[in-house]
Amino acid sequence: MELTLTRPDDWHLHLRDGDLLQAVLPHSASYFGRGIVMPNLKPPITTTSVAVAYRESILKALPSGSDFAPLMTLYMTDTTTPNEIKLARKSGVVFAVKLYPAGATTNSQDGVTNLFGNCLPVLEEMVEQNMPLLVHGEVTDPDIDVFDREKVFIDTILIPLIQRLPQLKVVMEHITTMDAVKFVESCKEGFVAATVTPQHLLLNRNSIFQGGLQPHNYCLPILKREIHRRAIVSAVTSGSKQFFLGTDSAPHERQKKECACGCAGIFNAPVALSLYAKVFEEAGVLDKLEAFTSFNGPDFYGLPRNTSKIKLKKTLWKVPETLSYPFGDIVPMFAGKTLEWQPFSD
């Protein structure tokens, strides 16, 4: 059995920089046409000029002959200006602005502390420039349980934001709850959408603890209960145009995952398409896979769909236990497991 798909894009991707960029970029570039590149480096990508420079470093790191296109984003801070949004739009290489609540995830310490108090003029300029806001949807109040942070963010930040600026395009990134599904579905198509990762479709919070602590299943937003996983699967496989592929592939060296204070992030770029196919096949809707992987994202961003194709073949293959590089090892998602779909680039 074989599927031919319009080449997918990854609408939420961490490529890192330096040696890690060189190591992980080929895995995404092999199968995806474009990738929305997250800006949470050290230091973060806060200006258009820095985004342009980061893009150049990605292009230089691409395998020979690859036509993968990095779509850059800016990291919103309390001091981002409306003029920076104008510069970003004019650049032709910055496609969105990312909101990290300060302290929410990896390298988010420079994020926004008060969205409405500090960033309203920037958000209004984003409406003018038709620049999407990409949201890490969690509050960071230490009094809020880590498993409730997405729901509280929806209630206290996202709903007021949409009410205040209904013309702002918003992507709720890497949704993890039934509450997020209901919120997105309640909003106007074309203005609010969500990316969905392989891990939040296939794993629940038991996966972090089964057989001992599993650091390579630890990500943020953290995995949730089975009831939430099922709700996300139902939304994604329903055919709704408001949900699209965003792997949130987030590589860390093995020693930074398997340590006393391990980093959050799952490196899924080598297996993502195989796992999305698994989800759609198990739901009996393989005919809806292409829209999720290849159509809904570019349509929301107002970009052309890719014209090239890739193939997914029904053939057993084993995920490597580790991927080794001169600087160390990276453990991919589902390491050592056998998968049933394998992608091949035309």
Side-chain angles (χ1 to χ4, degrees):
M1 187 175 176
E2 185 175 285
L3 293 174
T4 300
L5 302 177
T6 299
R7 184 173 298 276
D9 301 303
D10 188 343
W11 298 96
H12 187 119
L13 178 61
H14 296 272
L15 288 176
R16 312 302 192 204
D17 55 4
D19 290 343
L20 207 47
L21 167 64
Q22 296 276 351
V24 303
L25 176 59
H27 292 282
S28 294
S30 295
Y31 308 121
F32 296 103
R34 296 165 288 198
I36 281 278
V37 182
M38 291 296 135
N40 59 331
L41 302 185
K42 284 185 177 181
I45 308 298
T46 57
T47 66
T48 302
S49 60
V50 176
V52 169
Y54 181 30
R55 178 176 179 269
E56 286 302 311
S57 69
I58 295 169
L59 293 174
K60 287 179 182 176
L62 279 172
S64 177
S66 172
D67 58 0
F68 176 82
L71 310 180
M72 309 313 292
T73 61
L74 295 188
Y75 184 116
M76 182 184 282
T77 72
D78 289 338
T79 57
T80 302
T81 65
N83 188 57
E84 196 60 57
I85 304 304
K86 293 177 183 175
L87 291 172
R89 176 53 76 201
K90 189 181 290 187
S91 74
V93 302
V94 177
F95 289 85
V97 177
K98 181 68 184 287
L99 168 62
Y100 291 102
T105 189
T106 303
N107 296 345
S108 63
Q109 59 272 15
D110 298 305
V112 171
T113 61
N114 184 335
L115 183 65
F116 296 113
N118 297 329
C119 304
L120 196 55
V122 171
L123 294 169
E124 290 169 343
E125 186 61 39
M126 289 173 65
V127 173
E128 289 296 313
Q129 299 295 333
N130 194 31
M131 180 75 73
L133 178 69
L134 314 183
V135 175
H136 181 109
E138 292 188 291
V139 295
T140 56
D141 182 342
D143 292 333
I144 304 297
D145 189 283
V146 66
F147 293 101
D148 297 330
R149 289 180 179 177
E150 187 170 275
K151 181 183 188 309
V152 174
F153 187 91
I154 293 167
D155 294 340
T156 60
I157 305 293
L158 272 184
I159 290 174
L161 176 64
I162 299 303
Q163 291 171 344
R164 191 158 189 169
L165 294 171
Q167 299 303 304
L168 179 65
K169 295 188 80 161
V170 176
V171 181
M172 191 173 184
E173 300 290 343
H174 43 50
I175 61 168
T176 68
T177 61
M178 180 189 306
D179 310 277
V181 168
K182 290 178 179 177
F183 165 74
V184 172
E185 291 176 341
S186 74
C187 294
K188 187 176 180 182
E189 186 180 300
F191 286 94
V192 177
T195 56
V196 185
T197 75
Q199 54 265 30
H200 292 109
L201 286 168
L202 285 162
L203 305 178
N204 61 34
R205 66 188 192 180
N206 288 344
S207 305
I208 307 170
F209 308 108
Q210 284 174 333
L213 191 62
Q214 303 295 327
H216 298 286
N217 288 341
Y218 169 54
C219 59
L220 288 173
I222 200 162
L223 300 169
K224 303 299 194 303
R225 291 181 183 272
E226 175 67 5
I227 190 172
H228 294 295
R229 187 194 70 80
R230 290 183 181 179
I232 298 168
V233 170
S234 294
V236 162
T237 57
S238 70
S240 168
K241 296 178 180 179
Q242 289 180 279
F243 302 92
F244 44 84
L245 185 158
T247 64
D248 193 17
S249 185
H252 292 284
E253 296 168 48
R254 183 175 192 155
Q255 63 190 22
K256 292 184 178 178
K257 295 286 290 179
E258 300 176 7
C259 59
C261 187
C263 293
I266 293 175
F267 180 53
N268 60 35
V271 298
L273 289 177
S274 303
L275 297 180
Y276 286 124
K278 171 182 172 67
V279 169
F280 278 76
E281 182 180 39
E282 288 176 352
V285 289
L286 273 174
D287 58 310
K288 295 179 180 176
L289 177 64
E290 187 176 36
F292 172 77
T293 62
S294 313
F295 298 160
N296 298 348
D299 292 356
F300 180 86
Y301 275 84
L303 295 171
R305 297 173 178 178
N306 293 321
T307 54
S308 59
K309 306 286 185 181
I310 68 162
K311 286 185 167 60
L312 281 168
K313 295 180 182 177
K314 193 75 179 290
T315 180
L316 297 178
W317 68 285
K318 188 176 180 181
V319 182
E321 294 281 357
T322 60
L323 301 168
S324 296
Y325 302 97
F327 59 81
D329 294 345
I330 304 174
V331 178
M333 184 178 178
F334 277 34
K337 295 190 177 178
T338 298
L339 301 181
E340 294 185 345
W341 287 96
Q342 189 166 19
F344 293 88
S345 197
D346 268 8

